Amino acid sequence: MQSRTYLYDLLVSTIFTEGLDEGDLWALGFCALWIKGADLGTLAPAFHLDLDTRTPCYLSEILDHHLDDGSRWVAEVNGWIGIVPGLFDDDASLMSVTQGGRQALSFSMNIHGRERFKYVRDGRMIVSFDPGWPDRRFGDDPQALDHLMDGLRFQITDDGVLDNLVEGPESISSTLALIGRITETDIAADWFQARHSRIGDPSWRPPRP
């Protein structure tokens, strides 16, 4: 039986390989984006992707490459295109990239301990929430994904009082499982463990020391 934090643990072990010091995704900062309804050639300009640089790559290899040359890991499964790092997750950009009937999922975490999940469709923010507090949902249809959240564990509150403590890694695992349900894919085998591509970003510049 898989642990309740399986997908979070798998993502951490995939990103932080043996050549890197063990860390957590909050300290590193993590942003992933999935888009459906457009081909990669159409999306490439928005994400500064030079398709001529496309090279086979596992997610476990992308951190080193991204730090060296700004490459992004790009995966195509079941009509969805996944991009890590996701370049942007602000509402305006997500709504813009989904114009014309496209869908997008965004998941991000940062060093300040904030996490955010967003589902955007056809230029509209359908639902957005912090995985730690999913009862505080925003968007045009906050309950749109309820039917896909059965059995997933997030923080549970009643009138603002914490009723069932769920640690961060478990909330993150539940969020990743939700993404798998929306995309109708196996988030572990199809995304985290499969070989896809890395694609260079010609606009990338090394951070100044």
Side-chain angles (χ1 to χ4, degrees):
M1 180 178 178
Q2 293 177 345
S3 74
R4 289 175 172 173
T5 62
Y6 168 68
L7 290 175
Y8 170 83
D9 295 338
L10 177 62
L11 181 56
V12 169
S13 65
T14 300
I15 295 294
F16 294 98
T17 57
E18 293 181 2
L20 297 168
D21 293 334
E22 184 176 352
D24 65 61
L25 294 177
W26 286 274
L28 175 67
F30 180 79
C31 180
L33 186 66
W34 289 262
I35 300 175
K36 185 175 185 179
D39 60 35
L40 190 54
T42 301
L43 295 176
F47 291 93
H48 307 159
L49 299 174
D50 179 358
L51 300 184
D52 290 337
T53 66
R54 188 170 190 165
T55 304
C57 182
Y58 288 96
L59 181 59
S60 59
E61 302 168 332
I62 196 56
L63 183 56
D64 278 340
H65 288 297
H66 181 70
L67 293 174
D68 286 342
D69 60 15
S71 294
R72 290 185 170 78
W73 185 75
V74 179
E76 299 177 80
V77 184
N78 200 29
W80 290 84
I81 297 174
I83 302 174
V84 179
L87 185 61
F88 56 72
D89 70 340
D90 62 283
D91 293 0
S93 296
L94 288 171
M95 288 188 286
S96 176
V97 81
T98 58
Q99 294 286 348
R102 301 171 189 162
Q103 302 177 68
L105 304 170
S106 170
F107 172 62
S108 60
M109 335 171 38
N110 64 31
I111 197 169
H112 303 294
R114 294 188 59 192
E115 309 102 39
R116 203 75 197 168
F117 167 84
K118 299 176 182 179
Y119 172 52
V120 186
R121 186 177 65 225
D122 197 17
R124 297 167 53 229
M125 178 64 65
I126 303 302
V127 58
S128 168
F129 62 83
D130 178 337
W133 305 99
D135 53 330
R136 302 174 186 172
R137 303 181 204 182
F138 305 92
D140 292 349
D141 187 0
Q143 312 307 317
L145 302 178
D146 283 9
H147 65 292
L148 295 175
M149 296 173 71
D150 287 349
L152 302 180
R153 280 172 48 86
F154 301 93
Q155 296 283 17
I156 299 173
T157 63
D158 183 13
D159 297 327
V161 178
L162 189 63
D163 180 56
N164 185 8
L165 181 62
V166 178
E167 299 291 342
E170 187 175 353
S171 291
I172 299 307
S173 283
S174 292
T175 304
L176 295 172
L178 175 61
I179 292 169
R181 292 179 182 184
I182 297 169
T183 58
E184 299 182 304
T185 61
D186 184 323
I187 204 73
D190 291 337
W191 300 100
F192 296 166
Q193 297 172 321
R195 187 170 76 161
H196 292 287
S197 304
R198 63 180 172 91
I199 301 177
D201 176 354
S203 70
W204 185 85
R205 297 293 181 272
R208 294 181 180 179

